[in-house]
């Protein structure tokens, strides 16, 4: 089966509807046809300041949500990045093969650094794409499911793989980006021009997977729409309504044109009510299962540790080959 690697940052208490539709739900579907690794990338999270106790908590919560959202840790390898030291070790080697100018061209860094103020951005944030390259290359990954915001990083990963291979001999598989459905992009309910994001300034437009159903329903009822009455998909004229249609379509499996037919002559209130119902129906069991998993952190930690061992077995073999090829003396 083709090998696949993807990850999310433990950057909030809960994942949101965008993470679910744009990533988690699709990851779960890919498990049967791929040899998949799904990682909670805590080492990426610390590229911006994190509170230690919070990070520990959000890391476990993110892992629990992967499982509750359908990732089977007996099938896919579901693990915490920092529990497999080879990620940091390969990243160091790849750092030495990356040009300073090359790394400077990464647009995600420019965006995130601008948010923080250029002088307070860390060197870790700057080299983040190189750690991501290590994540991918350690497992001879063929496919990397990413949103289009991450395409440039996969491109860098490919360049580094090719560079290493031509300098030191064929070692790495050269991965392809597997661009997830663009229709699966979910926008902020209060600000439907920008994507729903864990780190948004205000959470009033974010549909959290772990929110109580009543809170979710209320947020959806207060979603921004427009002064018209017609329910149709038109991102330019009707960003809010289009977003609600996208969410409803993703959560019910009904196509958007079909929904447009169904809502002919109906009002925004009807649409919102149905969106809230559909989201609550899907998220209620996911939430319950997440809380159940978090009730037994020792068991969750055990599953994660076992999966980290499975990941390390693959990663350490790759790293050993890399160390040999570059001329490090193997410890006898
Ligand atoms: P942050 O604000 O901390 O960057 P995020 O919400 O963007 O958080 P990530 O951890 O960066 O989440 O991304 C996890 C996965 O969710 C990625 O595969 C990303 O493409 C996907 N994703 C994030 N936001 C959305 C969205 N609004 N719609 C669809 N997919 C999304
Ligand atoms: Mg993001």
């Amino acid at each position: 089966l083709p090998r696949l690697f993807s990850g999310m940052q433990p950057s909030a208490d809960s994942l949101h509807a965008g993470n679910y539709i744009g990533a988690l739900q699709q990851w779960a579907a890919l498990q049967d046809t791929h040899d998949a690794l799904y990682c909670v990338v805590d080492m990426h999270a610390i590229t911006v300041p994190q509170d230690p106790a919070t990070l520990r908590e959000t890391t476990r919560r993110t892992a629990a949500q992967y499982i509750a959202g359908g990732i089977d840790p007996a099938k896919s390898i579901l693990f915490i990045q920092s529990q497999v030291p080879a990620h940091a070790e390969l990243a160091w080697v790849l750092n030495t093969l990356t040009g300073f100018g090359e790394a400077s061209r990464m647009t995600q860094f420019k965006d995130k650094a601008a948010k923080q103020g250029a002088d307070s951005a860390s060197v870790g944030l700057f080299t983040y794409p190189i750690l991501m390259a290590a994540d991918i290359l350690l497992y001879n990954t063929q496919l990397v499911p990413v949103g289009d915001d991450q395409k440039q990083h996969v491109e860098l990963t490919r360049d580094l793989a090719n560079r290493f291979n031509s300098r030191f001999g064929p070692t790495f598989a050269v991965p392809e980006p597997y661009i997830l459905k663009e229709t699966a992009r979910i926008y902020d309910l209060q600000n439907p021009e920008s994507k729903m994001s864990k780190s948004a300034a205000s959470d009033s437009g974010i549909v959290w997977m772990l929110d109580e159903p009543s809170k979710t329903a209320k947020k959806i009822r207060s979603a921004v729409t427009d002064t018209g009455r017609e329910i149709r998909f038109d991102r330019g004229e009707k960003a809010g309504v289009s977003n609600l249609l996208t969410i409803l379509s993703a959560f019910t499996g009904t196509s958007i044109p079909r929904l447009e037919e169904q809502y002919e002559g109906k009002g925004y209130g009807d649409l919102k009510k149905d969106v809230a119902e559909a989201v609550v129906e899907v998220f209620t069991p996911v939430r319950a299962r997440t809380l159940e998993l978090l009730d037994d952190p020792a068991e969750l930690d055990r599953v994660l540790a076992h999966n980290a061992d499975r990941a390390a077995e693959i990663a350490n073999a790759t790293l050993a080959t890399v160390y040999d090829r570059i001329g490090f003396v193997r410890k006898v």
Side-chain angles (χ1 to χ4, degrees), residues 194-215:
S194 54
K195 82 164 195 90
M196 196 174 280
S197 176
K198 284 194 235 101
S199 53
S202 154
D203 98 326
S204 58
I206 317 287
V207 178
W208 298 113
M209 216 158 85
L210 301 185
D211 262 353
E212 298 204 4
S214 59
K215 209 166 161 192

Side-chain angles (χ1 to χ4, degrees), residues 6-12 15-24 27 112 115 128 145-150 180 184-188 195-200:
S6 204
M8 290 197 224
Q9 297 197 39
S11 48
L15 301 179
H16 56 67
N19 300 138
Y20 181 77
I21 293 308
L24 190 50
W27 290 3
K112 285 207 172 182
K115 262 196 214 165
Y128 162 122
V146 286
D148 50 7
D149 54 325
Q150 293 293 323
L180 297 170
R185 182 149 296 256
I186 306 297
Y187 296 84
D188 189 294
K195 82 164 195 90
M196 196 174 280
S197 176
K198 284 194 235 101
S199 53

Side-chain angles (χ1 to χ4, degrees), residues 262-285:
Q262 283 175 13
Y263 284 94
E264 228 173 297
K266 294 193 179 170
Y268 292 167
D270 301 312
L271 175 63
K272 287 176 173 179
K273 188 173 144 288
D274 293 347
V275 172
E277 254 168 41
V279 171
V280 164
E281 187 174 314
V282 173
F283 279 176
T284 298

Side-chain angles (χ1 to χ4, degrees), residues 55 123 266 295:
L55 179 64
V123 174
K266 294 193 179 170
D295 242 5

